[in-house]
Amino acid sequence: MPVEAPAETPGEMPVEVPLEVAASYRARTRGLLGRDGIEGAMLLTPASSVHTFRMRFAIDVAHLDRRLTVIALTTMVPGRLGLPRLRARHVLEAEAGAMAAWGLRVGSRLGVRLTTR
């Protein structure tokens, strides 16, 4: 399932990124632990905060509201506890630097498109 970062300029194509969804308690708890990286991003839902204890790499974190609009962006190194965001309903995680490369910023709205294989 790809996630699309919105185009900021009319006529510009959105960036499609492979997306993993962690919707169960177990999947959210596991998150990116034990991995050496991720291709694309992981959406934790519902979630309002994350931690990077026992992680092997730094991550970009985007807190999203109910409409999948980015309300906060940060980069977290391993061994940190992120602050919860009161309006956040979802958290998007990716390798550090990925979200800037996609053009994601506060106020951006994500589009999720289901694909069949």
Side-chain angles (χ1 to χ4, degrees):
M1 164 184 333
V3 64
E4 297 176 356
E8 296 297 326
T9 309
E12 187 177 323
M13 295 298 295
V15 177
E16 288 194 10
V17 178
L19 178 68
E20 296 178 39
V21 177
S24 71
Y25 174 79
R26 186 175 192 174
R28 287 189 311 271
T29 302
R30 185 177 55 241
L32 297 175
L33 295 177
R35 295 187 184 195
D36 292 322
I38 182 171
E39 181 183 333
M42 177 175 283
L43 181 68
L44 303 152
T45 184
S48 62
S49 68
V50 295
H51 69 83
T52 57
F53 298 119
R54 299 183 321 191
M55 296 222 20
R56 297 178 182 167
F57 57 98
I59 59 172
D60 283 344
V61 177
H63 291 84
L64 312 172
D65 67 10
R66 288 187 173 116
R67 295 183 179 131
L68 299 179
T69 301
V70 178
I71 58 174
L73 277 170
T74 189
T75 300
M76 294 177 65
V77 296
R80 302 286 182 210
L81 178 63
L83 296 174
R85 304 292 174 155
L86 295 178
R87 292 181 19 237
R89 296 297 177 259
H90 317 280
V91 175
L92 187 68
E93 298 178 333
E95 286 193 38
M99 292 185 189
W102 301 333
L104 203 62
R105 66 190 97 190
V106 172
S108 296
R109 184 179 246 177
L110 299 181
V112 177
R113 183 171 51 91
L114 298 174
T115 57
T116 57
R117 292 185 181 203

